[in-house]
Amino acid sequence: EQLLSAAGFMPRPADTEAKMAHLASLPQHRLIPKDHKGKLFYIYADETVCNCLFIGDDAAYQKYAQYAVQNRIANEEQEAAEMNEDAVVTADMDWDLWGGLDPWD
């Protein structure tokens, strides 16, 4: 939802019974393309966290997609760094046990 807001999606609270019922009828936590008066918009229904509907145009969607890719890359880099750190810390290497540094020794 932070990425949606940063990309320009506008949150609309479900602050009436009619809005709450409509929000509950929509697919949750997925970006869905919808046409409105001949223009393409994207909606994201979130009944559980914010009890709101995010609405964005194509520009907001494109920006969100870019942010999502950047976020995924950052997460993957963080996971790789953590894996490398874990590999270094797990145990001391007994090189003599394995025949030294050169596998052809």
Side-chain angles (χ1 to χ4, degrees):
E1 292 176 358
Q2 291 175 351
L3 292 179
L4 290 169
S5 292
F9 279 77
M10 300 300 294
R12 302 285 190 225
D15 52 6
T16 67
E17 290 295 324
K19 288 179 183 179
M20 285 185 241
H22 185 247
L23 183 66
S25 74
L26 296 170
Q28 298 292 304
H29 307 283
R30 290 187 6 215
L31 278 171
I32 308 292
K34 293 287 183 182
D35 180 75
H36 179 64
K37 297 181 180 179
K39 189 172 178 186
L40 182 62
F41 289 90
Y42 293 85
I43 62 167
Y44 181 92
D46 185 352
E47 184 181 26
T48 56
V49 177
C50 70
N51 197 36
C52 68
L53 180 71
F54 284 88
I55 303 171
D57 60 8
D58 189 56
Y61 176 79
Q62 296 301 325
K63 195 177 287 189
Y64 169 79
Q66 182 181 26
Y67 289 165
V69 168
Q70 291 169 350
N71 193 44
R72 189 180 78 237
I73 290 169
N75 287 340
E76 289 172 358
E77 288 174 351
Q78 178 67 31
E79 288 175 12
E82 289 171 2
M83 287 175 48
N84 287 339
E85 183 177 301
D86 289 346
V88 169
V89 174
T90 52
D92 290 330
M93 182 62 186
D94 185 348
W95 290 107
D96 292 331
L97 179 66
W98 295 96
L101 292 175
D102 187 343
W104 294 276
D105 277 350

